[in-house]
Amino acid sequence: MTDANQDTPARLERLWGWSMATSAPSWVYRPTSVDGIRNALEQARADGRSVAFRGAGQSYGDAALNRDNACIDVTGMCRILAWDAATGVVRVEPGVTIGELWKHTIADGWWPAVVPGTMHATLGGAAAMNVHGKNNWKVGPIGEHILAFDLLLPSRELCRCSPSETPELFHAAIGGLGMLGCFTSLTLQLKRVHSGLVAVEAVAVRDVEEMIATFEARHADADYLVGWVDGAARGNAIGRGIVHHANDLAPGEDPHPAETLRVTSQNLPETLVGIVPKSIMWRLLRPFMNPPGVRAVNLARYHLSRLRGRHRFQQSHAAFAFLFDYIPNWKLACGPGGFIQYQSFIPTPHAARVFRAQLALAHEAGLIPYIGVFKRHRADAFLLSHGVDGYSLAIELKVTARNRPAVWALAARFDELVVTAGGRFYFAKDNTLTRASLAGFLREPRVRRFLALKRELDPEGRLQTDLYRRLLART
C-alpha cells in the first residue's frame, strides 16, 4: 500500500471558491491512486480532522472548502481508463476534466451529453454537484448519463454503484456534494455527433416574459437553449436579453465532418481578433467592471442584436458550450473581493414574477447584476436535486469589502422569493444560503433519506465541507 506521506504529503494551504469571494485554510492531500485516498483518509482520521474531496475547484463558493481540516484533491487521478469508440462509453478517473474527455473522444464523433459553462471542471466534481447544461430540459443533468461509478466510502470500502444494482446510493452520491464518499472511477455514456459544429440562431427579446415565451416556443425543436440577460435593464425592460437556440448538425449536413471534428478545430482562440492575447484580456475588462461600464456594454450588446435581427451562424461545440473559458481568469476582472453568482430554479408558473422581482430588488439595493444567464430545466430523481420543471436565472454580483454585507442581505431577500415560489437552489454556485432558507427543502422525504444515508455510511461525520456544516449538518 502506498504511504500517504509519500504519495500525498499534507500541506497547509489556503483554498478558494472559484468566484474568489470565499476561502479557507486546509491540510491538502493530493493522491494519485485509490490506496492514496485510503491512506489520506486514515491519516486525517488519526489527526482528528474531517475530510472534504476537491476536484479542480470550480464550485463558486464553499462546496469544496473545509476550514482548518483536511482536503483531498483528486486532480492527480486523471487517467482515461477505457474508451469504446463504437458505443461512446468511457470510463475515467475522477480527476479527468471535461476538456480532457472531449479532446479524447471528439475525433471519433462523440461529445459529452452534458457540460457546464467551463471545460475545466473534473468529472468527479461534476458528478458530485450533478452539473447541468444548456440542454437540461431535454436530457437532464450529468447524472442521467452516468452508467456506473466506484465510490470509496468513509469506511475505506470500495463500492460499485449503478442505477439498477444500487439505485438509492447511486441517486444519493450523484449530487451528494462528496458527503457519502469519493468517486474513484466513473463510466459515462457520451452523445453521438456527426459534425464538430452546431447551428445557432440568436434572437433578441424585450423582457423576461418574452424570454420565457421564446424558450417555450422553441424548446421542442432545440438541442440547446440559453439566454443572456441584461442585468442593467430596468422597469418594463427587466429581463431583456438574447436567446441562443442551437442544434447539432444532422448526418451529411456538414460537408467536412472529419475536419470539424478535429481537436484543433474545437480549440478556443488564444487571441482576440488575432491580435490581443486572451491571457491579458481580464485586465482590459477591469475598467468596465462597474455599474456605468456594465450598463454601456450591455446596452450596446442588446441593441446590436436587435439591429441584426435573427442572426444565424455556426459554431464549434466548444465555442458554444464553454463561454466562460473564452477569457482566461476573467473572474480577476472583478477585483480582490470576487463575486457571487446567485442561481435559483423556479417552476414555470412563477418564473417571470420571481426573476423580475429579483432583478428589481438588485437595482433597489444599488447592486447591478453584471452577468445574467437563463436556462430551461426539468425535475430528476436525485436525492439532493436542484431540478424543477421550470427555469433558472444565474446573476453575478460583484463583491467588495464595503458592499459585502449588502450583497448577502440582498441574497437573503432573493431566498424568500425562491422559497415562496417552491423553487430550489444550486449548491455548486452558493455562497450565501442559510439553513433557515432551506427549512422546507430539509423536510422533503428525499433529502431526509439522503441525510439518513449520510448518518449510516459516515457515522463519525468524517466527510464534511464548509457548505455541509453551513446548511446540512445537524446542529
Side-chain angles (χ1 to χ4, degrees):
M1 181 178 290
T2 304
D3 184 88
N5 291 325
Q6 295 176 3
D7 188 32
T8 60
R11 294 178 51 189
L12 183 62
E13 302 177 22
R14 179 163 291 277
L15 301 176
W16 292 82
W18 189 82
S19 72
M20 305 297 288
T22 309
S23 68
S26 293
W27 292 92
V28 182
Y29 296 87
R30 291 186 170 85
T32 57
S33 66
V34 175
D35 281 345
I37 300 175
R38 284 192 172 107
N39 291 338
L41 284 169
E42 185 58 30
Q43 185 62 56
R45 186 177 187 276
D47 293 338
R49 298 186 180 116
S50 65
V51 171
F53 299 112
R54 183 177 174 92
Q58 300 294 297
S59 289
Y60 282 51
D62 55 1
L65 302 181
N66 194 20
R67 181 174 295 275
D68 298 326
N69 283 280
C71 184
I72 298 178
D73 179 329
V74 301
T75 53
M77 297 178 64
C78 53
R79 293 179 300 158
I80 294 177
L81 302 171
W83 166 234
D84 188 333
T87 64
V89 174
V90 65
R91 184 167 176 259
V92 301
E93 290 185 321
V96 172
T97 67
I98 290 168
E100 290 165 342
L101 175 61
W102 71 254
K103 289 175 184 179
H104 190 84
T105 64
I106 192 165
D108 294 322
W110 298 93
W111 181 259
V114 172
V115 297
T118 175
M119 69 177 82
H120 300 305
T122 63
L123 287 159
M129 292 299 170
N130 204 11
V131 300
H132 59 270
K134 301 174 181 69
N135 54 357
N136 183 258
W137 87 93
K138 187 169 188 173
V139 304
I142 195 171
E144 295 191 22
H145 307 275
I146 295 175
L147 305 179
F149 56 79
D150 290 327
L151 188 72
L152 187 65
L153 302 175
S155 65
R156 302 194 299 160
E157 172 192 355
L158 195 62
C159 180
R160 181 70 169 170
C161 298
S162 72
S164 58
E165 297 171 317
T166 55
E168 186 173 61
L169 184 54
F170 181 90
H171 288 93
I174 293 176
L177 316 176
M179 292 297 94
L180 302 182
C182 181
F183 297 110
T184 60
S185 76
L186 301 110
T187 303
L188 299 95
Q189 175 65 62
L190 304 193
K191 178 177 81 167
R192 170 66 81 182
V193 292
H194 302 280
S195 168
L197 303 173
V198 292
V200 185
E201 183 177 13
V203 183
V205 296
R206 292 169 293 187
D207 53 33
V208 67
E209 290 80 9
E210 188 175 357
M211 177 81 72
I212 291 174
T214 302
F215 269 70
E216 289 295 304
R218 289 172 172 263
H219 77 267
D221 299 321
D223 289 322
Y224 303 95
L225 282 170
V226 63
W228 166 78
V229 175
D230 177 3
R234 297 171 177 266
N236 292 335
I238 277 183
R240 75 180 178 190
I242 305 168
V243 175
H244 286 90
H245 169 164
N247 286 90
D248 295 316
L249 299 192
E253 197 172 354
D254 181 355
H256 307 290
E259 180 179 333
T260 61
L261 286 167
R262 292 176 184 165
V263 171
T264 52
S265 297
Q266 296 292 318
N267 285 336
L268 301 180
E270 295 183 358
T271 60
L272 183 68
V273 297
I275 301 173
V276 181
K278 287 195 172 179
S279 60
I280 68 168
M281 276 295 294
W282 68 268
R283 298 179 186 275
L284 303 180
L285 284 177
R286 182 167 282 185
F288 297 95
M289 299 302 283
N290 52 66
V294 169
R295 286 193 186 97
V297 170
N298 286 4
L299 189 67
R301 181 178 183 186
Y302 173 72
H303 283 293
L304 179 61
S305 180
R306 288 197 67 82
L307 287 172
R308 297 175 81 174
R310 293 187 175 183
H311 177 49
R312 294 180 175 88
F313 55 97
Q314 292 185 342
Q315 270 186 305
S316 71
H317 287 280
F320 179 78
F322 305 124
L323 184 61
F324 287 157
D325 295 337
Y326 263 85
I327 300 176
N329 293 318
W330 65 267
K331 61 184 178 179
L332 299 179
C334 286
F339 64 96
I340 69 164
Q341 192 174 104
Y342 185 99
Q343 186 171 19
S344 53
F345 297 71
I346 308 297
T348 299
H350 309 294
R353 173 182 60 81
V354 170
F355 297 146
R356 181 174 279 278
Q358 286 180 339
L359 292 166
L361 282 173
H363 283 279
E364 180 184 305
L367 298 166
I368 294 176
Y370 285 10
I371 294 174
V373 180
F374 198 83
K375 294 180 190 150
R376 184 74 165 88
H377 298 274
R378 75 181 191 194
D380 57 64
F382 297 95
L383 268 60
L384 291 189
S385 175
H386 55 274
V388 299
D389 182 9
Y391 290 88
S392 73
L393 175 63
I395 57 177
E396 178 190 305
L397 298 167
K398 182 177 178 178
V399 177
T400 67
R402 177 177 293 182
N403 79 2
R404 189 179 180 98
V407 171
W408 263 247
L410 176 62
R413 297 185 73 183
F414 287 174
D415 295 348
E416 294 174 9
L417 290 166
V418 176
V419 170
T420 302
R424 288 181 176 268
F425 305 96
Y426 185 34
F427 296 139
K429 298 283 182 70
D430 179 56
N431 265 300
T432 62
L433 276 169
T434 65
R435 192 176 176 90
S437 296
L438 284 183
F441 178 77
L442 295 172
R443 289 194 294 268
E444 291 183 9
R446 282 195 293 179
V447 179
R448 292 174 68 181
R449 183 55 194 148
F450 174 87
L451 295 173
L453 270 174
K454 168 70 172 170
R455 293 190 293 272
E456 177 184 331
L457 297 175
D458 187 18
E460 295 182 321
R462 306 308 309 173
L463 304 184
Q464 296 190 25
T465 62
D466 289 357
L467 182 142
Y468 174 77
R469 285 189 292 271
R470 174 164 58 91
L471 297 179
L472 301 175
R474 281 182 161 181
T475 55

